[in-house]
Amino acid sequence: MLRRGHGLISARNVRPPFRPSLSSTIPHAAIFRAYSTDDTPSHNVAILGGGITGLASAYYLTKELPRAKITIYEASDRIGGWLSSKRVPVKDGTILFEAGPRTLRPSANGVLAARLMQELDLAKDAIFPQRTSPAARNRYVYYPDHLVRMPHPAFGIAENVWSLVTEPIFQTAIWSGLTEIMKDARSDKVEDESVGEFFSRRFSKTMVDRILSAVLHGIYAGDAWQLSAKSLFPGLWRDEATAGSVLAGVLKARADGLDVTKREADYLQEMKDYAWDPLLKATLKDTTVFTFRDGLGMLSDRLVRRLYEHSNVEFRTSTPVDHISLLENRSGVSIKAKGTAQAEDYTHVISALSPGHLNLVTKLAGSESLVPHIPSVTVMTVNLYFRTPDLNPPGFGYVIPQATPFENNPERALGVVFDTAYSPGPQDLDLSNWQITDAEQLKQARDQGQLINVNDFAWYNMPDRPNMQDDVKQRGTKLTVMLGGHWWNDWPVFPDEQEGLALARSVVERHMGIKEEPEAWSVNMQKDCIPQYTVGHESRLKTAHNNISREYKGRLRVAGSWMSGVGVNDCLRSAYDVVRGLRDGRDGTGLEHVGTNEYVRLKPVRPGRKVEDKE
């Protein structure tokens, strides 16, 4: 259960609450109609796919090219893609189930998600678990037959060292870490290798099988011995080549500064210069993840609502695209949708489709595909709600490595998320559980610009009631079991709904002793949902870039989870970069950054000093 007794933690002083500017309170379409003297569209852009990438692409177009005409094609009757949040009735109220992603990190590419939260007025609906929360500190791995809590600075040196020397999962970890710097670097002839091969060379195979494979299960649902080290860990891959070892590269970066691509340095500077709400910025500094009271589906829903406010944005749902082709004069792209008599012409197309789907609608001559084959995996998520509270240990959840014996994971589960960890429950908002029971005192502290932390959650929307996802009188235990991924690659048939439920219940009974009948449940089959960046991924992306550039002359650009990151934040970044390139008039495909050798160095941060600019 979430810790109590932290009624008021006033962190740092910030400026008075942010007052939005006039432009952020008036719909962009209204601003465009009021000030534009020329209604001729600057661009006529078609977006293929109505998931988070397509929606974000449309949103950034309305901001960067406000006179552009935008048409969003979606094959299904639903907008939002893998973001799917739903409320389920239980005996004393409703609970929230997430079929797909459930939290977002506010760092790196996630800064764009935080910006969207501010721009779409979603911050008042957000939930911010603090760094002191069990969700932030407690992460587990199941090996070989029990849950092992991963070390964390908050646990102290003695406890962490004891865990490292007594738990079988950490066997070879200390020695391989100490000796990594003494190992020879790879040959210059090695262009890529699997994550398993790379980390086995640098550290040990035991670490890969028992720890790293679990991490990859939680992110990619993939096989450590198939995924590309160069694409998944580009910084470490480069450190070995330039510094001779991973540890030497890390030490060099701490002393001299971090080398990043110029594209990344420019992005970081843009995010730094953004006009942040001071209170939101301060809140995000103390949180590791965030979500919303009605789930991440609120993000796609709010994007749709904002886009509907623009008269130059059109949604075409239940409209699959059959074929796209470059116009003979190369001035645009023609799109033929299924069931339509005539094709329509656009100046540009942004594809948020999967590579396989894009290949179907482009149909190059001969056997060549526009994008080389990029495999994907299917994941089943099973949401379970039990009436009894606290059936899981405090923390975010656990992942299962490839080395876990088959008899302890015959269901081929990837991991389990403890969904009650990242949102407060009714007991956490009960004043009787707070050290400070005077709510007026909290309000006065907030009015003075102090951050309010209630039971390890930031109370950003004060004085309104703190947000929580489950509207019940007494919250029970809510879990999500993740099944499949690369384990299912060779399965001719996937489990049906009842089989999936049985598999999930078997997992939580074996691993946590939960035998109780769930009061509510939901089984979600996500077919081909996570692209796999297997060995040679970067080379395939370069081929795709060359093919798209040759065939479509800058008129077709791609974005999505299959190029530079599989998460929601990565999709936002992909959409952001594609639109910025279009705004600046740069020839591109959305893949022009792949394999860049243009690096700049960020100056190191010295103790007591602020982050410095790039050199």
Side-chain angles (χ1 to χ4, degrees):
M1 192 64 187
L2 299 176
R3 294 184 299 140
R4 298 195 173 85
H6 290 55
L8 167 62
I9 299 178
S10 55
R12 61 179 64 83
N13 288 325
V14 295
R15 296 198 297 272
F18 177 69
R19 304 300 180 192
S21 64
L22 180 63
S23 62
S24 65
T25 59
I26 300 177
H28 292 283
I31 297 173
F32 168 62
R33 288 194 296 269
Y35 292 97
S36 176
T37 58
D38 182 5
D39 289 334
T40 303
S42 60
H43 298 70
N44 185 11
V45 183
I47 296 175
L48 310 184
I52 187 62
T53 305
L55 293 175
S57 298
Y59 174 76
Y60 291 132
L61 280 170
T62 63
K63 293 179 68 66
E64 303 294 348
L65 296 168
R67 288 175 46 222
K69 183 178 184 298
I70 304 164
T71 304
I72 302 172
Y73 287 86
E74 169 55 43
S76 72
D77 60 357
R78 178 184 171 276
I79 296 291
W82 299 120
L83 296 187
S84 179
S85 312
K86 65 178 179 180
R87 291 210 162 272
V88 177
V90 292
K91 293 178 180 178
D92 57 345
T94 64
I95 58 170
L96 185 79
F97 279 162
E98 293 274 25
R102 59 210 62 234
T103 59
L104 298 174
R105 291 186 178 274
S107 57
N109 291 340
V111 178
L112 287 171
R115 279 183 54 165
L116 283 177
M117 178 167 51
Q118 177 173 312
E119 294 170 5
L120 299 174
D121 196 24
L122 273 170
K124 67 179 185 300
D125 299 304
I127 298 171
F128 301 100
Q130 298 293 274
R131 296 184 184 275
T132 55
S133 69
R137 292 179 173 179
N138 297 343
R139 306 291 176 108
Y140 301 87
V141 173
Y142 184 86
Y143 178 86
D145 58 0
H146 62 281
L147 295 180
V148 181
R149 188 170 68 169
M150 293 294 99
H152 188 279
F155 304 153
I157 295 177
E159 182 175 341
N160 287 333
V161 170
W162 178 253
S163 180
L164 287 172
V165 299
T166 59
E167 287 288 353
I169 192 174
F170 298 119
Q171 184 182 5
T172 77
I174 296 177
W175 179 250
S176 62
L178 293 174
T179 58
E180 188 275 335
I181 199 169
M182 295 182 285
K183 296 177 180 178
D184 293 335
R186 67 179 179 272
S187 167
D188 293 338
K189 297 179 181 179
V190 178
E191 297 183 357
D192 196 2
E193 63 183 331
S194 73
V195 171
E197 292 168 326
F198 175 77
F199 281 92
S200 291
R201 284 194 303 100
R202 300 312 316 169
F203 297 95
S204 73
K205 183 177 184 299
T206 299
M207 284 186 62
V208 173
D209 289 338
R210 299 183 185 181
I211 301 175
L212 187 56
S213 68
V215 176
L216 297 179
H217 276 173
I219 301 173
Y220 298 93
D223 183 353
W225 300 94
Q226 298 293 325
L227 295 170
S228 163
K230 187 176 185 179
S231 293
L232 268 61
F233 298 94
L236 301 184
W237 177 265
R238 189 168 183 271
D239 283 343
E240 185 189 28
T242 58
S245 77
V246 170
L247 181 57
V250 172
L251 294 176
K252 185 175 184 296
R254 289 179 64 88
D256 301 335
L258 182 66
D259 288 342
V260 299
T261 63
K262 184 178 183 303
R263 165 180 172 266
E264 193 66 21
D266 291 342
Y267 165 79
L268 293 173
Q269 189 62 46
E270 290 170 9
M271 298 303 104
K272 180 181 177 181
D273 294 340
Y274 181 70
W276 289 98
D277 165 2
L279 187 60
L280 178 59
K281 183 178 180 180
T283 301
L284 291 171
K285 286 182 178 179
D286 284 336
T287 191
T288 55
V289 298
F290 65 90
T291 186
F292 304 107
R293 58 179 173 82
D294 289 323
L296 288 191
M298 289 192 74
L299 177 59
S300 54
D301 291 345
R302 194 64 58 88
L303 281 169
V304 170
R305 185 184 305 176
R306 183 62 61 89
L307 291 170
Y308 263 121
E309 296 173 357
H310 289 263
S311 60
N312 55 337
V313 177
E314 179 184 358
F315 285 86
R316 295 189 183 180
T317 57
S318 301
T319 309
V321 170
D322 184 60
H323 183 67
I324 66 175
S325 58
L326 184 70
L327 296 176
E328 289 187 6
N329 61 7
R330 301 183 178 182
S331 63
V333 175
S334 175
I335 291 182
K336 174 68 168 60
K338 290 184 179 179
T340 59
Q342 294 183 334
E344 295 187 48
D345 297 342
Y346 298 89
T347 61
H348 297 86
V349 172
I350 297 176
S351 170
L353 304 176
S354 68
H357 194 176
L358 180 59
N359 285 335
L360 288 176
V361 302
T362 50
K363 299 184 181 73
L364 297 186
S367 59
E368 184 181 14
S369 297
L370 191 69
V371 180
H373 176 64
I374 295 176
S376 58
V377 295
T378 294
V379 175
M380 175 181 281
T381 59
V382 182
N383 309 113
L384 301 169
Y385 181 75
F386 303 96
R387 172 52 52 188
T388 303
D390 305 331
L391 293 177
N392 59 265
F396 191 85
Y398 68 89
V399 284
I400 307 171
Q402 290 177 240
T404 296
F406 176 80
E407 60 269 22
N408 293 331
N409 186 29
E411 301 83 4
R412 288 315 194 197
L414 301 164
V416 178
V417 182
F418 305 157
D419 290 311
T420 43
Y422 52 81
S423 173
Q427 296 89 341
D428 299 295
L429 307 186
D430 186 346
L431 286 176
S432 64
N433 291 322
W434 298 2
Q435 288 181 344
I436 296 178
T437 59
D438 186 358
E440 188 60 35
Q441 183 178 354
L442 299 181
K443 294 178 182 179
Q444 291 175 4
R446 169 62 183 270
D447 290 341
Q448 294 170 5
Q450 293 179 322
L451 302 182
I452 308 302
N453 180 333
V454 175
N455 290 334
D456 292 322
F457 290 89
W459 193 355
Y460 177 85
N461 65 325
M462 192 176 183
D464 295 336
R465 178 181 173 84
N467 295 315
M468 61 180 185
Q469 291 187 337
D470 301 321
D471 185 14
V472 290
K473 295 179 181 179
Q474 177 74 34
R475 187 170 62 170
T477 298
K478 187 169 61 171
L479 308 170
T480 298
V481 180
M482 301 174 292
L483 302 162
H486 74 97
W487 292 126
W488 288 1
N489 282 350
D490 297 326
W491 287 26
V493 180
F494 296 139
D496 61 23
E497 185 176 70
Q498 288 300 320
E499 291 169 337
L501 175 61
L503 289 172
R505 293 192 62 189
S506 177
V507 169
V508 300
E509 179 177 349
R510 178 182 299 103
H511 294 176
M512 292 183 286
I514 301 175
K515 299 181 179 181
E516 183 176 322
E517 186 83 16
E519 184 175 329
W521 54 272
S522 177
V523 178
N524 317 282
M525 180 65 81
Q526 318 278 16
K527 291 186 177 180
D528 297 321
C529 61
I530 305 180
Q532 299 294 284
Y533 299 0
T534 54
V535 175
H537 182 71
E538 181 180 289
S539 176
R540 289 187 285 274
L541 293 184
K542 289 180 179 179
T543 299
H545 165 70
N546 293 334
N547 290 347
I548 296 170
S549 179
R550 181 188 70 243
E551 297 293 330
Y552 288 92
K553 314 301 181 185
R555 296 295 176 175
L556 169 65
R557 303 180 187 223
V558 292
S561 62
W562 55 273
M563 46 195 70
S564 300
V566 300
V568 173
N569 290 335
D570 305 309
C571 292
L572 297 178
R573 176 66 185 279
S574 179
Y576 179 83
D577 286 344
V578 163
V579 171
R580 301 277 284 196
L582 194 59
R583 179 203 66 180
D584 296 340
R586 299 195 301 264
D587 287 337
T589 64
L591 297 169
E592 58 272 10
H593 64 280
V594 175
T596 181
N597 291 316
E598 188 177 9
Y599 282 82
V600 298
R601 178 165 296 169
L602 302 180
K603 293 181 180 180
V605 180
R606 308 300 181 188
R609 296 175 61 183
K610 295 181 179 180
V611 178
E612 299 183 64
D613 295 332
K614 61 191 177 185
E615 291 182 335

